[in-house]
């Protein structure tokens, strides 16, 4: 059975993609993902949290090192403080549950110490990347699980704005750093979130060899799709998607405090050789 064309149109705009022979309830579920920034005050239950973490732990982990952890934050005062760390994003404070996903090398160092073994590899950038990738894989499983329970989510990259302050709030030991946060809660039906279109597959899917030139028509089409989306959602975005994206990488001043991330990581015990 082909995928619902409405789902494909929401995700890609009017780009003519059809999947005639590759459909499943899981794919449809993933296509419906949207970032939710308005929540009801209803709490996320313990069983729901346990199910979300079980899904997260079912993600792949490099060499089964499990170099990630997550802190579940329900306390309103802590959520409010985390919201300030993330640039004053109100939904971090308002969502009933904030999950802070961590690259966690402290546990591995502790295992080495308790078995009287060296841990020099933890000082290399590769191991930091392992922790970040493990956390991202686990978190994406968590998002899919939360949405299957009728919950909404949104990632909070602003947790990297003030890594030391976040570490203080969450009592993170050296060798542990917040990679991103995640709001979790029941979406407020009075403020529904829209599915944001994605670029045509020709922009991200390459056959055999990578090509920048081949992406040009898809990027032009995506600029038009996003212009319609910005207008429909009454978003105050100036210029095309391409211009908006270029503005975000203009210099360290556009990184919202994350320009000193390497320094902060060193302060948190990551040597990054």
């Amino acid at each position: 059975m082909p995928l619902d064309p409405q789902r494909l149109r929401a995700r890609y705009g009017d780009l003519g993609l059809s999947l005639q022979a590759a459909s499943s309830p899981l794919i449809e579920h993933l296509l419906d993902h949207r970032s939710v920034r308005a929540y009801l005050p209803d709490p996320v239950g313990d069983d729901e949290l346990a199910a979300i973490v079980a899904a997260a732990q079912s993600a792949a982990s490099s060499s089964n090192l499990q170099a990630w952890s997550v802190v579940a934050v329900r306390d309103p005062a802590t959520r409010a403080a985390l919201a300030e760390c993330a640039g004053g994003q109100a939904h971090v404070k308002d969502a009933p549950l904030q999950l802070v996903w961590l690259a966690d090398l402290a546990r591995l160092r502790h295992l080495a110490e308790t078995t009287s073994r060296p841990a020099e590899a933890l000082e290399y950038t590769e191991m930091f990347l392992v922790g970040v990738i493990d956390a991202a894989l686990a978190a994406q499983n968590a998002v899919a699980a939360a949405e299957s329970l009728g919950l909404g989510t949104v990632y909070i990259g602003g947790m990297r704005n003030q890594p030391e302050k976040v570490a203080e709030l969450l009592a993170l030991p050296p060798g542990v750093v917040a990679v991103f946060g995640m709001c979790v809660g029941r979406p407020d039906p009075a403020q529904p979130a829209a599915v944001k279109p994605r670029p045509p597959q020709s922009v991200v899917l390459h056959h055999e060899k990578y090509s920048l030139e081949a992406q040009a028509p898809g990027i032009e089409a995506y600029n038009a799709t996003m212009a319609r989306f910005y207008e429909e959602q009454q978003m105050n975005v100036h210029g095309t998607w391409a211009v908006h994206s270029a503005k975000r990488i203009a210099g360290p001043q556009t990184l919202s405090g994350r320009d000193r991330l390497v320094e902060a990581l060193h302060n948190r015990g990551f040597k990054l050789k």
Side-chain angles (χ1 to χ4, degrees):
M1 182 177 179
L3 281 173
D4 179 358
Q6 287 295 105
R7 283 189 166 93
L8 289 173
R9 190 173 297 114
R11 184 56 73 196
Y12 287 106
D14 296 319
L15 298 179
L17 180 68
S18 63
L19 301 177
Q20 294 299 322
S23 176
S24 73
L26 175 59
I27 293 172
E28 291 186 349
H29 169 66
L30 293 173
L31 281 170
D32 286 341
H33 167 74
R34 63 204 70 199
S35 294
V36 175
R37 294 179 174 84
Y39 298 91
L40 298 175
D42 309 27
V44 177
D46 289 343
D47 285 352
E48 291 172 313
L49 176 58
I52 290 168
V53 173
Q57 287 188 283
S58 298
S61 172
S62 180
S63 300
N64 198 32
L65 292 176
Q66 306 297 330
W68 68 276
S69 290
V70 61
V71 177
V73 181
R74 288 178 166 127
D75 177 69
T78 306
R79 295 201 322 262
L82 289 172
E84 290 305 308
C85 291
Q89 298 182 58
H91 40 282
V92 177
K93 171 177 62 71
D94 296 340
L97 175 64
Q98 182 68 209
L99 296 178
V100 184
W101 298 87
L102 312 170
D104 183 354
L105 303 187
R107 181 166 51 245
L108 290 170
R109 185 175 295 280
H110 176 70
L111 293 175
E113 291 172 351
T114 57
T115 57
S116 301
R117 294 178 179 274
E120 294 179 11
L122 295 181
E123 298 182 359
Y124 284 79
T125 302
E126 168 64 15
M127 284 306 305
F128 172 66
L129 286 175
V130 165
V132 170
I133 293 167
D134 268 16
L137 293 173
Q140 189 55 33
N141 263 24
V143 165
E147 291 176 344
S148 76
L149 296 172
L151 299 167
T153 66
V154 64
Y155 284 99
I156 305 297
M159 289 300 162
R160 299 190 300 278
N161 288 2
Q162 300 183 52
E164 294 100 334
K165 179 62 176 176
V166 172
E168 179 185 341
L169 288 168
L170 304 181
L172 305 183
V176 181
V177 68
V179 180
F180 44 77
M182 179 189 293
C183 299
V184 185
R186 285 168 178 77
D188 183 349
Q191 302 180 64
V195 172
K196 184 177 290 184
R198 295 295 191 255
Q201 291 192 2
S202 61
V203 174
V204 300
L205 174 62
H206 305 266
H207 295 278
E208 312 305 334
K209 294 183 180 180
Y210 183 94
S211 172
L212 265 177
E213 293 75 13
Q215 299 175 41
I219 290 174
E220 183 178 354
Y222 189 53
N223 280 334
T225 296
M226 286 306 297
R228 290 191 295 272
F229 181 81
Y230 295 146
E231 183 177 2
E232 291 168 359
Q233 299 300 311
Q234 299 180 340
M235 298 173 66
N236 187 25
V237 177
H238 300 289
T240 64
W241 170 78
V243 169
H244 174 66
S245 299
K247 288 179 179 178
R248 291 298 300 270
I249 60 169
Q253 72 280 2
T254 65
L255 296 177
S256 302
R258 281 160 262 180
D259 55 316
R260 56 172 299 275
L261 184 59
V262 172
E263 175 191 351
L265 289 172
H266 276 272
N267 293 340
R268 297 294 307 141
F270 292 86
K271 302 304 180 184
L272 304 185
K273 294 180 179 177

